[in-house]
Amino acid sequence: MKKLTWIIAVIVIVVLISIAFILRQSNSGDKDKNGYDTYEVKKENPINLEGKATPKSIKMYNNNDQIGSYISTSVNDGQTVKQGEPLINYDINNNKRKQLLDKLNATEDAYAKAEAQQELNKYDRTVYDSIYASFDGKVDIKNKNDVSAGEPILQLISKELQVKATISEFDVSKIKEGNDVDLSITSTGETAKGKIAKISELPKSFEDAGSKASGGEGGEAPSSNVINDPSSGNSDESSKYTIVINDIDIPVRSGYSMEVKVPVDTIKIPKSVLAKDNHVFVVGKDNKIEKRHIKIDKVNGEIIVKDGLKKGEKLIKHPKKNMNNGDKVEVSS
Protein backbone atom coordinates (compact mmCIF):
# COMPACT_ATOMS: atom_id res chain seq x y z
CA MET A 1 0.00 0.00 0.00
CA LYS A 2 2.80 2.34 0.93
CA LYS A 3 4.63 1.48 -2.30
CA LEU A 4 1.49 2.24 -4.32
CA THR A 5 1.20 5.66 -2.68
CA TRP A 6 4.78 6.52 -3.69
CA ILE A 7 4.12 5.45 -7.28
CA ILE A 8 1.03 7.63 -7.48
CA ALA A 9 2.96 10.60 -6.03
CA VAL A 10 5.74 10.21 -8.60
CA ILE A 11 3.19 9.99 -11.43
CA VAL A 12 1.49 13.19 -10.21
CA ILE A 13 4.82 15.05 -10.06
CA VAL A 14 5.76 13.91 -13.58
CA VAL A 15 2.37 15.01 -14.90
CA LEU A 16 2.69 18.44 -13.26
CA ILE A 17 6.20 18.94 -14.66
CA SER A 18 4.96 17.96 -18.12
CA ILE A 19 2.07 20.41 -17.94
CA ALA A 20 4.38 23.21 -16.81
CA PHE A 21 6.79 22.47 -19.66
CA ILE A 22 3.96 22.46 -22.23
CA LEU A 23 2.62 25.80 -20.92
CA ARG A 24 6.09 27.33 -21.00
CA GLN A 25 6.65 26.21 -24.55
CA SER A 26 3.23 27.51 -25.52
CA ASN A 27 3.92 30.93 -23.99
CA SER A 28 7.33 31.04 -25.60
CA GLY A 29 5.80 30.18 -28.93
CA ASP A 30 3.20 32.91 -28.53
CA LYS A 31 5.97 35.45 -27.78
CA ASP A 32 7.91 34.43 -30.87
CA LYS A 33 4.73 34.52 -32.88
CA ASN A 34 3.75 37.97 -31.64
CA GLY A 35 7.28 39.28 -32.15
CA TYR A 36 9.26 41.96 -30.31
CA ASP A 37 7.69 44.81 -28.42
CA THR A 38 8.85 48.22 -29.63
CA TYR A 39 9.12 51.71 -28.19
CA GLU A 40 8.27 54.77 -30.31
CA VAL A 41 10.68 57.67 -29.80
CA LYS A 42 8.87 60.79 -28.65
CA LYS A 43 9.74 64.14 -27.15
CA GLU A 44 9.20 64.75 -23.47
CA ASN A 45 5.91 66.27 -22.34
CA PRO A 46 5.86 70.07 -21.89
CA ILE A 47 7.01 71.45 -18.55
CA ASN A 48 4.02 72.80 -16.61
CA LEU A 49 4.59 75.93 -14.50
CA GLU A 50 2.55 78.58 -12.71
CA GLY A 51 3.26 82.29 -13.02
CA LYS A 52 2.00 85.84 -12.52
CA ALA A 53 1.60 88.67 -15.01
CA THR A 54 3.55 91.76 -13.93
CA PRO A 55 4.45 95.07 -15.62
CA LYS A 56 7.83 94.99 -17.31
CA SER A 57 8.71 98.34 -15.69
CA ILE A 58 7.30 100.57 -12.94
CA LYS A 59 8.69 104.01 -12.19
CA MET A 60 7.79 106.35 -9.34
CA TYR A 61 8.18 110.08 -9.99
CA ASN A 62 8.90 111.98 -6.75
CA ASN A 63 9.01 115.74 -6.24
CA ASN A 64 12.61 116.67 -7.08
CA ASP A 65 13.26 120.12 -5.64
CA GLN A 66 16.86 119.96 -6.91
CA ILE A 67 15.67 120.94 -10.39
CA GLY A 68 13.07 123.52 -9.37
CA SER A 69 9.66 124.03 -7.79
CA TYR A 70 6.84 121.57 -8.50
CA ILE A 71 3.82 123.18 -10.20
CA SER A 72 1.44 120.44 -11.38
CA THR A 73 1.06 117.28 -13.39
CA SER A 74 0.67 117.66 -17.15
CA VAL A 75 -1.24 114.37 -17.50
CA ASN A 76 -4.40 112.89 -16.03
CA ASP A 77 -4.88 109.84 -13.85
CA GLY A 78 -5.17 106.71 -16.04
CA GLN A 79 -3.82 108.46 -19.13
CA THR A 80 -1.74 106.42 -21.56
CA VAL A 81 1.51 108.11 -22.61
CA LYS A 82 4.39 107.48 -24.99
CA GLN A 83 8.07 107.48 -24.09
CA GLY A 84 9.40 111.05 -23.99
CA GLU A 85 6.07 112.77 -23.26
CA PRO A 86 6.14 115.36 -20.42
CA LEU A 87 4.39 114.24 -17.24
CA ILE A 88 5.15 116.93 -14.66
CA ASN A 89 5.45 120.73 -14.76
CA TYR A 90 8.32 122.34 -12.80
CA ASP A 91 9.47 125.91 -12.45
CA ILE A 92 12.97 124.86 -13.40
CA ASN A 93 15.94 126.68 -11.89
CA ASN A 94 17.84 127.49 -15.06
CA ASN A 95 20.65 129.12 -13.11
CA LYS A 96 21.93 125.67 -12.15
CA ARG A 97 22.33 124.58 -15.76
CA LYS A 98 23.85 127.95 -16.74
CA GLN A 99 26.48 127.59 -14.01
CA LEU A 100 27.40 124.09 -15.21
CA LEU A 101 27.56 125.27 -18.84
CA ASP A 102 29.72 128.27 -17.95
CA LYS A 103 32.07 125.97 -16.02
CA LEU A 104 32.38 123.70 -19.05
CA ASN A 105 33.07 126.59 -21.44
CA ALA A 106 35.62 128.19 -19.10
CA THR A 107 37.63 125.02 -18.59
CA GLU A 108 40.63 124.39 -20.84
CA ASP A 109 42.21 121.37 -19.13
CA ALA A 110 41.03 118.24 -20.96
CA TYR A 111 40.51 116.19 -17.79
CA ALA A 112 38.61 118.97 -16.01
CA LYS A 113 36.56 119.62 -19.15
CA ALA A 114 35.51 115.96 -19.28
CA GLU A 115 34.42 116.11 -15.65
CA ALA A 116 32.46 119.31 -16.29
CA GLN A 117 30.73 117.67 -19.26
CA GLN A 118 29.79 114.71 -17.09
CA GLU A 119 28.26 117.04 -14.48
CA LEU A 120 26.20 118.82 -17.16
CA ASN A 121 25.04 115.50 -18.66
CA LYS A 122 24.07 114.23 -15.21
CA TYR A 123 22.00 117.36 -14.55
CA ASP A 124 20.23 117.11 -17.91
CA ARG A 125 19.53 113.43 -17.29
CA THR A 126 18.10 114.22 -13.84
CA VAL A 127 15.78 116.81 -15.34
CA TYR A 128 14.66 114.42 -18.08
CA ASP A 129 14.11 111.54 -15.65
CA SER A 130 12.10 113.78 -13.31
CA ILE A 131 9.75 115.18 -15.98
CA TYR A 132 9.43 112.88 -19.00
CA ALA A 133 8.06 109.36 -19.51
CA SER A 134 10.90 106.85 -19.56
CA PHE A 135 8.78 104.29 -21.44
CA ASP A 136 5.30 103.76 -22.90
CA GLY A 137 2.84 103.27 -20.09
CA LYS A 138 -0.18 104.26 -18.02
CA VAL A 139 -0.19 107.06 -15.43
CA ASP A 140 -1.28 106.49 -11.83
CA ILE A 141 -1.51 109.82 -9.99
CA LYS A 142 -0.46 109.60 -6.33
CA ASN A 143 -0.53 113.28 -5.29
CA LYS A 144 -1.43 116.39 -7.31
CA ASN A 145 -1.43 119.21 -4.79
CA ASP A 146 0.79 120.27 -1.87
CA VAL A 147 3.48 117.69 -2.67
CA SER A 148 6.49 118.08 -0.38
CA ALA A 149 10.05 117.47 -1.53
CA GLY A 150 10.74 113.79 -2.06
CA GLU A 151 7.07 112.77 -1.93
CA PRO A 152 5.53 110.76 -4.81
CA ILE A 153 3.65 112.64 -7.51
CA LEU A 154 2.76 109.87 -9.93
CA GLN A 155 3.66 106.37 -10.98
CA LEU A 156 4.24 105.21 -14.54
CA ILE A 157 3.28 101.59 -15.23
CA SER A 158 4.63 99.93 -18.35
CA LYS A 159 2.07 98.83 -20.94
CA GLU A 160 4.28 95.88 -21.77
CA LEU A 161 3.66 92.97 -19.43
CA GLN A 162 5.75 89.94 -18.58
CA VAL A 163 5.08 86.70 -16.78
CA LYS A 164 7.34 85.49 -13.98
CA ALA A 165 7.41 81.81 -13.06
CA THR A 166 9.73 79.43 -11.21
CA ILE A 167 11.26 76.23 -12.55
CA SER A 168 13.01 73.45 -10.65
CA GLU A 169 16.65 72.44 -10.93
CA PHE A 170 15.51 69.21 -12.59
CA ASP A 171 13.95 71.09 -15.53
CA VAL A 172 15.97 74.31 -15.87
CA SER A 173 18.62 72.62 -18.06
CA LYS A 174 15.91 71.61 -20.55
CA ILE A 175 15.00 75.19 -21.51
CA LYS A 176 16.82 78.21 -22.91
CA GLU A 177 16.22 81.88 -23.55
CA GLY A 178 14.18 82.39 -26.71
CA ASN A 179 12.07 79.25 -26.25
CA ASP A 180 8.40 79.65 -27.19
CA VAL A 181 5.87 79.02 -24.43
CA ASP A 182 2.11 78.46 -24.30
CA LEU A 183 0.19 80.55 -21.77
CA SER A 184 -3.30 80.32 -20.34
CA ILE A 185 -5.05 82.83 -18.06
CA THR A 186 -6.19 80.80 -15.06
CA SER A 187 -9.37 82.79 -14.41
CA THR A 188 -10.66 82.97 -18.00
CA GLY A 189 -8.96 80.12 -19.85
CA GLU A 190 -7.87 82.53 -22.61
CA THR A 191 -4.69 81.33 -24.31
CA ALA A 192 -1.62 83.21 -25.52
CA LYS A 193 1.93 82.78 -26.77
CA GLY A 194 5.15 84.14 -25.33
CA LYS A 195 8.93 83.72 -25.25
CA ILE A 196 11.41 83.09 -22.46
CA ALA A 197 13.37 86.33 -22.15
CA LYS A 198 15.51 85.51 -19.12
CA ILE A 199 16.49 82.61 -16.89
CA SER A 200 18.00 83.64 -13.56
CA GLU A 201 21.57 82.55 -12.97
CA LEU A 202 21.03 82.09 -9.23
CA PRO A 203 18.19 80.16 -7.58
CA LYS A 204 15.50 82.08 -5.69
CA SER A 205 17.02 81.15 -2.34
CA PHE A 206 20.20 83.07 -3.26
CA GLU A 207 18.16 86.00 -4.57
CA ASP A 208 16.15 86.17 -1.33
CA ALA A 209 19.35 86.03 0.72
CA GLY A 210 20.82 88.85 -1.37
CA SER A 211 17.68 90.95 -0.88
CA LYS A 212 17.92 90.62 2.89
CA ALA A 213 21.64 91.41 2.91
CA SER A 214 21.09 94.60 0.90
CA GLY A 215 18.40 95.86 3.24
CA GLY A 216 15.58 94.81 0.93
CA GLU A 217 13.29 94.10 3.88
CA GLY A 218 13.71 97.38 5.66
CA GLY A 219 17.03 96.62 7.31
CA GLU A 220 19.97 98.99 7.30
CA ALA A 221 21.90 98.73 4.04
CA PRO A 222 25.42 97.38 4.46
CA SER A 223 28.48 99.47 3.59
CA SER A 224 29.29 96.99 0.82
CA ASN A 225 26.91 95.04 -1.41
CA VAL A 226 29.37 92.15 -1.75
CA ILE A 227 27.97 89.00 -0.11
CA ASN A 228 30.62 86.56 1.06
CA ASP A 229 29.68 82.89 1.44
CA PRO A 230 25.99 83.46 0.55
CA SER A 231 23.43 81.02 1.92
CA SER A 232 21.58 78.89 -0.63
CA GLY A 233 18.59 78.42 1.67
CA ASN A 234 17.18 75.11 2.86
CA SER A 235 19.53 72.37 1.65
CA ASP A 236 16.70 69.83 1.92
CA GLU A 237 14.70 71.56 -0.83
CA SER A 238 15.39 71.50 -4.54
CA SER A 239 16.50 74.82 -6.02
CA LYS A 240 14.01 76.88 -8.01
CA TYR A 241 14.94 79.44 -10.65
CA THR A 242 12.99 82.47 -11.86
CA ILE A 243 12.17 82.71 -15.55
CA VAL A 244 10.79 85.81 -17.26
CA ILE A 245 8.43 85.49 -20.24
CA ASN A 246 7.65 88.40 -22.54
CA ASP A 247 6.33 89.09 -26.07
CA ILE A 248 2.87 88.04 -24.85
CA ASP A 249 0.54 88.28 -27.84
CA ILE A 250 -2.70 89.26 -26.02
CA PRO A 251 -3.52 91.97 -23.46
CA VAL A 252 -3.24 90.63 -19.91
CA ARG A 253 -4.08 92.47 -16.70
CA SER A 254 -1.25 92.80 -14.24
CA GLY A 255 -1.57 90.35 -11.36
CA TYR A 256 -3.40 87.65 -13.32
CA SER A 257 -2.36 84.08 -12.57
CA MET A 258 -1.04 82.23 -15.60
CA GLU A 259 -0.56 78.58 -16.47
CA VAL A 260 2.66 78.12 -18.43
CA LYS A 261 3.56 75.22 -20.69
CA VAL A 262 7.13 75.08 -22.00
CA PRO A 263 7.58 72.61 -24.90
CA VAL A 264 10.92 70.81 -24.71
CA ASP A 265 12.98 69.00 -27.33
CA THR A 266 14.32 66.49 -24.83
CA ILE A 267 14.08 62.82 -25.84
CA LYS A 268 14.02 60.20 -23.10
CA ILE A 269 14.18 56.44 -23.65
CA PRO A 270 13.52 53.49 -21.33
CA LYS A 271 16.36 51.29 -20.16
CA SER A 272 14.73 48.31 -21.94
CA VAL A 273 15.77 49.56 -25.42
CA LEU A 274 19.41 50.22 -24.58
CA ALA A 275 21.91 47.52 -25.56
CA LYS A 276 25.62 47.24 -24.74
CA ASP A 277 27.85 50.29 -25.32
CA ASN A 278 24.88 52.64 -25.80
CA HIS A 279 23.50 50.89 -28.88
CA VAL A 280 19.87 50.64 -29.89
CA PHE A 281 18.12 48.68 -32.63
CA VAL A 282 15.95 50.83 -34.88
CA VAL A 283 13.17 49.14 -36.85
CA GLY A 284 13.41 50.19 -40.49
CA LYS A 285 11.77 49.37 -43.80
CA ASP A 286 10.49 45.80 -44.17
CA ASN A 287 11.15 45.33 -40.44
CA LYS A 288 14.91 45.24 -40.96
CA ILE A 289 16.78 46.58 -37.97
CA GLU A 290 19.60 49.09 -37.82
CA LYS A 291 22.09 48.83 -34.98
CA ARG A 292 22.85 52.42 -34.05
CA HIS A 293 25.15 54.04 -31.50
CA ILE A 294 23.57 56.99 -29.65
CA LYS A 295 24.88 59.63 -27.26
CA ILE A 296 23.14 59.76 -23.90
CA ASP A 297 23.21 61.41 -20.51
CA LYS A 298 21.88 59.85 -17.35
CA VAL A 299 20.11 62.43 -15.18
CA ASN A 300 18.29 61.51 -11.98
CA GLY A 301 17.91 57.93 -13.14
CA GLU A 302 16.53 58.91 -16.56
CA ILE A 303 18.23 58.26 -19.91
CA ILE A 304 18.37 61.49 -21.96
CA VAL A 305 19.30 61.20 -25.65
CA LYS A 306 21.77 63.88 -26.76
CA ASP A 307 22.20 62.67 -30.35
CA GLY A 308 21.31 59.77 -32.62
CA LEU A 309 17.52 59.44 -32.51
CA LYS A 310 14.55 61.21 -34.09
CA LYS A 311 10.95 61.54 -33.00
CA GLY A 312 8.78 58.73 -34.40
CA GLU A 313 11.49 56.09 -34.78
CA LYS A 314 10.74 52.64 -33.32
CA LEU A 315 13.21 50.81 -31.11
CA ILE A 316 13.35 47.13 -30.18
CA LYS A 317 12.66 46.42 -26.52
CA HIS A 318 14.83 43.83 -24.79
CA PRO A 319 17.01 43.10 -27.86
CA LYS A 320 18.80 39.74 -27.90
CA LYS A 321 22.57 39.68 -27.56
CA ASN A 322 22.98 37.94 -30.92
CA MET A 323 20.88 40.54 -32.78
CA ASN A 324 22.80 42.10 -35.70
CA ASN A 325 22.52 45.01 -38.08
CA GLY A 326 20.23 44.12 -41.01
CA ASP A 327 18.35 41.32 -39.24
CA LYS A 328 14.67 41.05 -40.11
CA VAL A 329 12.36 40.76 -37.12
CA GLU A 330 8.71 40.37 -36.29
CA VAL A 331 7.30 43.16 -34.14
CA SER A 332 4.15 43.12 -32.05
CA SER A 333 3.77 46.86 -31.64
Side-chain angles (χ1 to χ4, degrees), residues 260-319:
V260 182
K261 289 184 181 291
V262 187
V264 292
D265 291 329
T266 306
I267 292 176
K268 293 193 298 187
I269 57 173
K271 187 177 179 181
S272 59
V273 303
L274 198 61
K276 186 178 179 182
D277 298 327
N278 297 341
H279 282 90
V280 293
F281 291 90
V282 183
V283 180
K285 188 177 180 182
D286 299 326
N287 283 356
K288 287 187 177 181
I289 57 173
E290 175 195 348
K291 185 178 182 181
R292 187 186 301 172
H293 181 267
I294 62 174
K295 294 181 180 179
I296 64 170
D297 268 340
K298 293 185 178 180
V299 181
N300 301 317
E302 296 180 321
I303 301 173
I304 310 296
V305 178
K306 295 176 64 179
D307 189 37
L309 287 177
K310 296 179 182 177
K311 179 183 176 183
E313 291 184 311
K314 287 189 175 182
L315 310 178
I316 296 290
K317 285 185 176 181
H318 306 292

Side-chain angles (χ1 to χ4, degrees), residues 147-212:
V147 186
S148 300
E151 287 189 342
I153 300 171
L154 60 82
Q155 192 174 47
L156 183 62
I157 303 169
S158 171
K159 289 179 62 179
E160 188 176 354
L161 291 182
Q162 60 188 11
V163 173
K164 285 189 174 182
T166 55
I167 189 168
S168 76
E169 63 183 282
F170 304 108
D171 290 325
V172 70
S173 61
K174 301 174 185 176
I175 65 172
K176 60 184 179 181
E177 293 177 3
N179 281 163
D180 293 324
V181 299
D182 298 313
L183 302 168
S184 175
I185 302 175
T186 305
S187 58
T188 66
E190 191 174 5
T191 58
K193 298 284 187 182
K195 286 184 181 294
I196 296 177
K198 183 179 180 181
I199 304 169
S200 65
E201 186 65 30
L202 294 174
K204 284 179 63 63
S205 53
F206 279 97
E207 293 175 354
D208 294 342
S211 175
K212 292 177 183 178

Side-chain angles (χ1 to χ4, degrees), residues 34-84:
N34 293 334
Y36 286 95
D37 287 334
T38 60
Y39 172 80
E40 183 174 342
V41 177
K42 51 184 177 288
K43 292 182 180 179
E44 192 174 351
N45 292 330
I47 300 170
N48 295 313
L49 307 172
E50 295 180 352
K52 285 279 188 183
T54 63
K56 188 174 181 180
S57 302
I58 300 175
K59 181 178 177 180
M60 183 68 75
Y61 288 76
N62 297 323
N63 181 5
N64 187 354
D65 61 351
Q66 299 298 312
I67 65 171
S69 301
Y70 167 74
I71 299 175
S72 65
T73 62
S74 54
V75 289
N76 298 317
D77 189 32
Q79 182 176 332
T80 299
V81 297
K82 292 285 188 181
Q83 181 179 3

Side-chain angles (χ1 to χ4, degrees), residues 11 16 86 92 112 149 156 178 243 276:
I11 293 172
L16 291 174
I92 296 178
L156 183 62
I243 66 170
K276 186 178 179 182

Side-chain angles (χ1 to χ4, degrees), residues 1 11 18 71 89 116 132 135 153 168 172 214 220 252 271:
M1 185 68 181
I11 293 172
S18 300
I71 299 175
N89 297 314
Y132 297 93
F135 45 82
I153 300 171
S168 76
V172 70
S214 63
E220 183 178 347
V252 180
K271 187 177 179 181

Side-chain angles (χ1 to χ4, degrees), residues 202 205-207 209-210 213 226-233:
L202 294 174
S205 53
F206 279 97
E207 293 175 354
V226 176
I227 304 172
N228 294 313
D229 192 22
S231 169
S232 61

